[in-house]
Amino acid sequence: FTLSKPNSGMLRRRRAALAPPLEESVLSATATMAKLIARPVARLHGRVRAPGDKSISHRALMFGALALGETRVSGLLEGEDVLATVAALRALGAEVEHQGPGLWQVRGFGVGGGREPGNILDLGNSGTAARLLSGILASHPFTSFMTGDASLRGRPMQRVIEPLSHMGARFHGREGGRMPLAIIGTDEMVPIEYRLPVASAQVKSAILLAGLNTAGETTVIEPEATRDHTERMLRHFGAEVRVGPAEGGGKRITVVGWPELRGRDIVVPGDPSSAAFAVVAAAIRPGSDVTVENVGVNPLRAGLYETLREMGADIAFENARDVGGEPVADLHVKGGGLKGVEVPAHRAPSMIDEYPILAMAAACAEGSTHMLGLAELRAKESDRLASVAAGLAANGVRHEMGADTLVVHGTGAAPAGGGVVKAHLDHRIAMSFLVLGLAAREPVAIDDGSPIDTSFPGFAALINGLGGKVGPA
Ligand code: S3P
């Protein structure tokens, strides 16, 4: 009987068989799971106000930090993602003060004036905080470190590392550029002209923010238009941002380096991506009559509403107005009678966060809804294509998932429901399936509702205020 010394490959395989993957063991040690359930209701009724826009909230704080003087923000979303940005900006030397509900004041350090953070920046679940801050950090002459929760640590950062490296910063990350990430910045960046390989407002914004502390003109070419909050708001703070057509199609966006940004007042409109949950909940319950007030309807964010109308939803944009340089309206929805449609790939950037909730509308519609051009859904807080497909399967909804497509077959009758859906640390998966539970034959549960607080604190109370039944399981 002889014992042979196992080679290192064997050892690795044995250890892998014994120990759970690292991400899983970290999760089970630290996370408190909050199971939630949504029960069927007849109809929804009432008026609610959409919570502040997450994209605009991050930008208001960051740009306020890059400005000199005071920036006062009202209507800020006080979700965990935005609070992660607050903490990071404080670590960089901005004075960020909470003055009342939704009211914040920022005293900035100016373009290039941030100080080296004393510790690792923990950005929680927020991809927007991570990507946009990487542009700011890369253009400062110090080394900083970023990490986040298990979801964020799994998300691709190479998409910002590549252009920011061309400008002169260096990065050390895990395989595929994943976080934790060390950013070795420089204040001697070189301006670039960069064509976005993926339609991403986060990548566009990271480059433009780095361009602020770079001599000369930094240009991003986007083949497909993505949300333009950065361009709109940078101008409001006094930066020179030029937008024009790009050769061969798309947009050319140029920022001129070293502007003197000045503190401004910002009013944050309501978030169309959050409003979507109440709007779809009403649209899938016949007889519902719901108004969601103060919803941002920037055309580069409003693809879901166009799609719902094509499906036959009765949605009126009332009281259209301008709030802080963004178009806003009150959305008045009456429920019932949705039909399946084809959602073209070119619409994806204007509704990229809304496919999970659209899939719920599709599950309640009559006929098939074909959603195309969804590759980016796999790089969100979870692989949203897979998460949605698994949740639909658990609730008896017929569907087909492709590499970048999803087809949902509705029958016009209420879906079966009765499933327990895994949220995968993804707020929009959690909220979408709770909305399905309001319209299914049996209640729908989610394994963990805690991620909802990243973007929509008070979600359950808001839905229940309209007559919904969402609560602890
Ligand atoms: C965001 C852009 C989108 C979106 C995200 C917020 C932003 O991401 O999914 O929730 O604030 O710029 P990508 O730009 O990576 O598509």
Side-chain angles (χ1 to χ4, degrees):
F1 178 83
T2 55
L3 256 181
S4 66
K5 192 169 174 259
N7 65 30
S8 64
M10 272 171 70
L11 266 180
R12 229 181 294 124
R13 280 193 296 278
R14 269 189 216 161
R15 280 204 203 108
L18 287 173
L22 183 62
E23 307 292 58
E24 244 177 69
S25 59
V26 168
L27 255 185
S28 55
T30 56
T32 26
M33 308 275 269
K35 198 170 172 189
L36 292 179
I37 195 160
R39 300 176 198 285
V41 295
R43 65 187 64 82
L44 299 172
H45 197 276
R47 287 182 86 87
V48 286
R49 200 174 163 84
D53 189 281
K54 182 152 69 77
S55 289
I56 295 177
S57 295
H58 283 295
R59 285 163 173 81
L61 296 168
M62 287 185 201
F63 301 179
L66 294 176
L68 293 174
E70 278 172 20
T71 289
R72 273 183 315 226
V73 189
S74 58
L76 190 92
L77 171 70
E78 290 166 358
E80 288 168 1
D81 276 14
V82 177
L83 298 180
T85 286
V86 169
L89 294 173
R90 283 180 177 152
L92 278 163
E95 285 175 41
V96 188
E97 227 178 84
H98 188 202
Q99 300 191 316
L103 274 184
W104 291 71
Q105 190 184 69
V106 184
R107 235 173 261 112
F109 44 71
V111 169
R115 63 159 190 240
E116 178 194 79
N119 205 344
I120 302 168
L121 304 174
D122 185 347
L123 304 173
N125 191 251
S126 179
T128 307
R131 270 67 172 264
L132 269 60
L133 280 168
S134 67
I136 296 176
L137 295 167
S139 51
H140 277 82
F142 50 66
T143 297
S144 48
F145 302 87
M146 264 186 192
T147 192
D149 70 6
S151 154
L152 188 56
R153 292 196 308 274
R155 295 180 67 184
M157 293 296 285
Q158 196 57 41
R159 50 183 60 196
V160 288
I161 292 176
E162 198 206 274
L164 296 172
S165 301
H166 289 317
M167 295 179 81
R170 288 182 298 129
F171 296 82
H172 290 292
R174 293 191 301 139
E175 204 182 331
R178 289 181 159 79
M179 295 203 269
L181 192 64
I183 303 175
I184 301 120
T186 169
D187 56 1
E188 294 182 3
M189 289 204 129
V190 289
I192 55 168
E193 180 172 310
Y194 188 76
R195 195 178 177 83
L196 292 180
V198 282
S200 167
Q202 294 178 350
V203 178
K204 168 176 68 178
S205 302
I207 299 166
L208 294 176
L209 289 177
L212 290 176
N213 197 30
T214 302
E217 300 189 350
T218 297
T219 296
V220 178
I221 294 167
E222 53 175 16
E224 289 177 280
T226 65
R227 64 191 70 191
D228 60 356
H229 307 307
T230 295
E231 296 91 307
R232 286 176 188 245
M233 205 189 288
L234 275 181
R235 282 200 186 117
H236 181 59
F237 275 92
E240 185 178 341
V241 181
R242 294 196 302 270
V243 181
E247 241 172 76
K251 273 194 207 171
R252 210 186 138 79
I253 303 142
T254 298
V255 69
V256 179
W258 292 336
E260 212 171 278
L261 304 185
R262 289 268 152 218
R264 290 279 184 255
D265 287 353
I266 302 277
V267 183
V268 179
D271 197 323
S273 303
S274 299
F277 299 105
V279 168
V280 169
I284 60 179
R285 296 312 298 133
S288 294
D289 190 330
V290 164
T291 300
V292 186
E293 296 172 355
N294 189 40
V295 183
V297 288
N298 179 323
L300 295 169
R301 297 284 301 280
L304 172 76
Y305 299 109
E306 190 180 348
T307 305
L308 288 172
R309 279 175 159 172
E310 287 173 6
M311 294 174 82
D314 181 349
I315 305 177
F317 283 30
E318 295 174 350
N319 191 17
R321 58 204 185 270
D322 182 281
V323 172
E326 293 276 347
V328 163
D330 300 333
L331 304 194
H332 184 182
V333 195
K334 292 181 185 158
L338 300 184
K339 300 240 176 308
V341 293
E342 181 169 312
V343 191
H346 68 77
R347 199 177 290 163
S350 69
M351 54 178 294
I352 193 65
D353 291 335
E354 280 67 76
Y355 285 98
I357 189 65
L358 175 65
M360 306 304 123
C364 299
E366 190 183 335
S368 303
T369 296
H370 296 251
M371 304 171 213
L372 311 173
L374 307 186
E376 272 297 297
L377 289 199
R378 297 201 182 269
K380 297 296 176 187
E381 285 82 332
S382 68
D383 174 344
R384 284 192 175 150
L385 255 185
S387 306
V388 167
L392 291 174
N395 287 288
V397 180
R398 273 206 320 122
H399 63 281
E400 287 122 35
M401 177 180 69
D404 66 347
T405 57
L406 181 67
V407 183
V408 178
H409 302 289
T411 62
V420 181
V421 177
K422 283 200 169 126
H424 295 288
L425 288 179
D426 189 333
H427 53 132
R428 297 200 200 280
I429 296 300
M431 290 186 276
S432 296
F433 281 96
L434 289 171
V435 167
L436 185 72
L438 303 173
R441 292 202 296 279
E442 297 293 330
V444 174
I446 52 163
D447 66 340
D448 182 16
S450 56
I452 292 173
D453 286 346
T454 61
S455 71
F456 201 156
F459 164 78
L462 182 138
I463 294 290
N464 293 345
L466 294 170
K469 282 189 189 164
V470 178

Short mmCIF file of all heavy atoms in Angstrom, two decimals, residues 182-211:
data_model
loop_
_atom_site.label_atom_id
_atom_site.label_comp_id
_atom_site.label_asym_id
_atom_site.label_seq_id
_atom_site.Cartn_x
_atom_site.Cartn_y
_atom_site.Cartn_z
N ALA A 182 -7.10 48.12 -7.99
CA ALA A 182 -6.21 49.23 -7.63
C ALA A 182 -6.12 50.15 -8.84
O ALA A 182 -5.95 49.68 -9.96
CB ALA A 182 -4.83 48.71 -7.26
N ILE A 183 -6.27 51.43 -8.60
CA ILE A 183 -6.21 52.43 -9.68
C ILE A 183 -5.00 53.31 -9.43
O ILE A 183 -4.95 54.01 -8.41
CB ILE A 183 -7.48 53.29 -9.70
CG1 ILE A 183 -8.71 52.39 -9.85
CG2 ILE A 183 -7.42 54.35 -10.80
CD1 ILE A 183 -10.03 53.12 -9.78
N ILE A 184 -4.01 53.22 -10.32
CA ILE A 184 -2.82 54.07 -10.17
C ILE A 184 -3.02 55.25 -11.12
O ILE A 184 -2.85 55.14 -12.33
CB ILE A 184 -1.53 53.27 -10.48
CG1 ILE A 184 -1.46 52.09 -9.51
CG2 ILE A 184 -0.29 54.13 -10.36
CD1 ILE A 184 -1.44 50.76 -10.16
N GLY A 185 -3.45 56.35 -10.55
CA GLY A 185 -3.87 57.49 -11.36
C GLY A 185 -2.72 58.42 -11.71
O GLY A 185 -1.59 58.25 -11.26
N THR A 186 -3.03 59.38 -12.55
CA THR A 186 -2.04 60.39 -12.94
C THR A 186 -2.76 61.69 -13.26
O THR A 186 -3.90 61.66 -13.73
CB THR A 186 -1.23 59.93 -14.17
OG1 THR A 186 -0.47 61.04 -14.65
CG2 THR A 186 -2.12 59.44 -15.31
N ASP A 187 -2.09 62.80 -13.00
CA ASP A 187 -2.69 64.07 -13.43
C ASP A 187 -2.04 64.55 -14.72
O ASP A 187 -2.14 65.72 -15.08
CB ASP A 187 -2.61 65.15 -12.33
CG ASP A 187 -1.20 65.38 -11.85
OD1 ASP A 187 -0.27 64.73 -12.39
OD2 ASP A 187 -1.02 66.20 -10.93
N GLU A 188 -1.37 63.61 -15.39
CA GLU A 188 -0.81 63.95 -16.71
C GLU A 188 -1.43 63.06 -17.78
O GLU A 188 -0.74 62.42 -18.56
CB GLU A 188 0.71 63.80 -16.68
CG GLU A 188 1.33 64.82 -15.76
CD GLU A 188 2.83 64.77 -15.71
OE1 GLU A 188 3.42 63.95 -16.46
OE2 GLU A 188 3.40 65.53 -14.93
N MET A 189 -2.72 63.02 -17.78
CA MET A 189 -3.41 62.17 -18.76
C MET A 189 -3.32 62.77 -20.15
O MET A 189 -3.19 63.99 -20.29
CB MET A 189 -4.87 62.02 -18.35
CG MET A 189 -5.07 61.18 -17.13
SD MET A 189 -6.73 60.52 -17.15
CE MET A 189 -6.42 58.81 -16.89
N VAL A 190 -3.42 61.89 -21.13
CA VAL A 190 -3.45 62.39 -22.51
C VAL A 190 -4.88 62.26 -23.04
O VAL A 190 -5.56 61.28 -22.76
CB VAL A 190 -2.47 61.62 -23.42
CG1 VAL A 190 -1.03 61.97 -23.08
CG2 VAL A 190 -2.70 60.13 -23.36
N PRO A 191 -5.33 63.26 -23.78
CA PRO A 191 -6.70 63.19 -24.29
C PRO A 191 -6.79 62.11 -25.37
O PRO A 191 -5.82 61.88 -26.10
CB PRO A 191 -6.93 64.58 -24.88
CG PRO A 191 -5.58 65.12 -25.18
CD PRO A 191 -4.63 64.50 -24.20
N ILE A 192 -7.93 61.46 -25.45
CA ILE A 192 -8.12 60.41 -26.47
C ILE A 192 -9.40 60.67 -27.24
O ILE A 192 -10.25 61.47 -26.82
CB ILE A 192 -8.20 58.98 -25.86
CG1 ILE A 192 -9.31 58.89 -24.79
CG2 ILE A 192 -6.86 58.55 -25.31
CD1 ILE A 192 -9.64 57.48 -24.36
N GLU A 193 -9.50 59.97 -28.36
CA GLU A 193 -10.78 59.89 -29.06
C GLU A 193 -11.13 58.41 -29.01
O GLU A 193 -10.35 57.58 -29.47
CB GLU A 193 -10.61 60.38 -30.50
CG GLU A 193 -11.89 60.32 -31.25
CD GLU A 193 -11.79 60.98 -32.62
OE1 GLU A 193 -11.32 62.12 -32.71
OE2 GLU A 193 -12.19 60.32 -33.58
N TYR A 194 -12.24 58.07 -28.42
CA TYR A 194 -12.53 56.66 -28.14
C TYR A 194 -13.92 56.29 -28.63
O TYR A 194 -14.91 56.95 -28.29
CB TYR A 194 -12.44 56.42 -26.62
CG TYR A 194 -12.53 54.96 -26.24
CD1 TYR A 194 -11.46 54.10 -26.42
CD2 TYR A 194 -13.70 54.45 -25.68
CE1 TYR A 194 -11.54 52.76 -26.07
CE2 TYR A 194 -13.78 53.11 -25.31
CZ TYR A 194 -12.71 52.27 -25.52
OH TYR A 194 -12.79 50.95 -25.17
N ARG A 195 -13.97 55.22 -29.42
CA ARG A 195 -15.25 54.73 -29.92
C ARG A 195 -15.74 53.64 -28.97
O ARG A 195 -15.04 52.65 -28.74
CB ARG A 195 -15.02 54.15 -31.33
CG ARG A 195 -16.26 53.94 -32.10
CD ARG A 195 -15.99 53.40 -33.51
NE ARG A 195 -17.24 53.15 -34.16
CZ ARG A 195 -17.95 54.09 -34.78
NH1 ARG A 195 -17.48 55.31 -34.91
NH2 ARG A 195 -19.11 53.79 -35.30
N LEU A 196 -16.92 53.80 -28.40
CA LEU A 196 -17.42 52.83 -27.41
C LEU A 196 -17.70 51.49 -28.08
O LEU A 196 -18.50 51.43 -29.02
CB LEU A 196 -18.72 53.34 -26.78
CG LEU A 196 -18.66 54.55 -25.86
CD1 LEU A 196 -20.07 54.86 -25.35
CD2 LEU A 196 -17.74 54.31 -24.69
N PRO A 197 -17.09 50.40 -27.59
CA PRO A 197 -17.40 49.10 -28.17
C PRO A 197 -18.74 48.53 -27.66
O PRO A 197 -19.31 47.66 -28.30
CB PRO A 197 -16.23 48.21 -27.72
CG PRO A 197 -15.59 48.92 -26.57
CD PRO A 197 -16.01 50.35 -26.60
N VAL A 198 -19.20 49.01 -26.49
CA VAL A 198 -20.54 48.62 -26.00
C VAL A 198 -21.32 49.91 -25.74
O VAL A 198 -20.73 50.92 -25.37
CB VAL A 198 -20.50 47.83 -24.66
CG1 VAL A 198 -20.11 46.40 -24.88
CG2 VAL A 198 -19.59 48.49 -23.64
N ALA A 199 -22.63 49.84 -25.93
CA ALA A 199 -23.45 51.02 -25.64
C ALA A 199 -23.52 51.16 -24.13
O ALA A 199 -24.26 50.44 -23.47
CB ALA A 199 -24.84 50.84 -26.23
N SER A 200 -22.73 52.07 -23.56
CA SER A 200 -22.70 52.20 -22.11
C SER A 200 -22.50 53.66 -21.69
O SER A 200 -21.46 54.25 -21.95
CB SER A 200 -21.58 51.33 -21.52
OG SER A 200 -21.37 51.69 -20.16
N ALA A 201 -23.52 54.20 -21.02
CA ALA A 201 -23.42 55.57 -20.51
C ALA A 201 -22.40 55.64 -19.39
O ALA A 201 -21.79 56.68 -19.15
CB ALA A 201 -24.78 56.02 -20.00
N GLN A 202 -22.20 54.52 -18.70
CA GLN A 202 -21.22 54.52 -17.61
C GLN A 202 -19.81 54.67 -18.17
O GLN A 202 -19.00 55.42 -17.63
CB GLN A 202 -21.34 53.23 -16.80
CG GLN A 202 -22.67 53.14 -16.06
CD GLN A 202 -22.83 51.86 -15.28
OE1 GLN A 202 -22.04 50.92 -15.43
NE2 GLN A 202 -23.86 51.79 -14.46
N VAL A 203 -19.51 53.94 -19.24
CA VAL A 203 -18.17 54.03 -19.83
C VAL A 203 -17.97 55.42 -20.44
O VAL A 203 -16.94 56.07 -20.23
CB VAL A 203 -17.96 52.92 -20.88
CG1 VAL A 203 -16.59 53.05 -21.53
CG2 VAL A 203 -18.12 51.54 -20.23
N LYS A 204 -18.97 55.89 -21.18
CA LYS A 204 -18.91 57.25 -21.75
C LYS A 204 -18.61 58.26 -20.64
O LYS A 204 -17.72 59.10 -20.78
CB LYS A 204 -20.25 57.58 -22.42
CG LYS A 204 -20.43 59.03 -22.78
CD LYS A 204 -21.74 59.29 -23.53
CE LYS A 204 -22.99 59.11 -22.69
NZ LYS A 204 -24.23 59.42 -23.43
N SER A 205 -19.33 58.15 -19.52
CA SER A 205 -19.19 59.12 -18.45
C SER A 205 -17.81 59.03 -17.79
O SER A 205 -17.21 60.05 -17.44
CB SER A 205 -20.28 58.90 -17.40
OG SER A 205 -21.55 59.00 -18.00
N ALA A 206 -17.31 57.81 -17.62
CA ALA A 206 -15.98 57.64 -17.00
C ALA A 206 -14.93 58.37 -17.82
O ALA A 206 -14.05 59.06 -17.28
CB ALA A 206 -15.64 56.15 -16.88
N ILE A 207 -15.00 58.25 -19.14
CA ILE A 207 -14.00 58.89 -20.01
C ILE A 207 -14.17 60.41 -19.97
O ILE A 207 -13.18 61.15 -19.86
CB ILE A 207 -14.14 58.37 -21.46
CG1 ILE A 207 -13.92 56.86 -21.50
CG2 ILE A 207 -13.18 59.09 -22.40
CD1 ILE A 207 -14.35 56.19 -22.79
N LEU A 208 -15.40 60.89 -20.02
CA LEU A 208 -15.62 62.34 -19.99
C LEU A 208 -15.16 62.92 -18.65
O LEU A 208 -14.57 64.01 -18.60
CB LEU A 208 -17.10 62.67 -20.23
CG LEU A 208 -17.64 62.31 -21.63
CD1 LEU A 208 -19.14 62.59 -21.72
CD2 LEU A 208 -16.89 63.07 -22.74
N LEU A 209 -15.38 62.19 -17.56
CA LEU A 209 -14.95 62.69 -16.25
C LEU A 209 -13.43 62.73 -16.17
O LEU A 209 -12.85 63.68 -15.62
CB LEU A 209 -15.54 61.83 -15.13
CG LEU A 209 -17.05 62.01 -14.93
CD1 LEU A 209 -17.58 61.07 -13.86
CD2 LEU A 209 -17.38 63.46 -14.55
N ALA A 210 -12.76 61.71 -16.72
CA ALA A 210 -11.29 61.74 -16.76
C ALA A 210 -10.85 62.90 -17.64
O ALA A 210 -9.86 63.59 -17.33
CB ALA A 210 -10.75 60.42 -17.30
N GLY A 211 -11.58 63.16 -18.72
CA GLY A 211 -11.25 64.25 -19.65
C GLY A 211 -11.29 65.62 -18.99
O GLY A 211 -10.64 66.55 -19.45
#
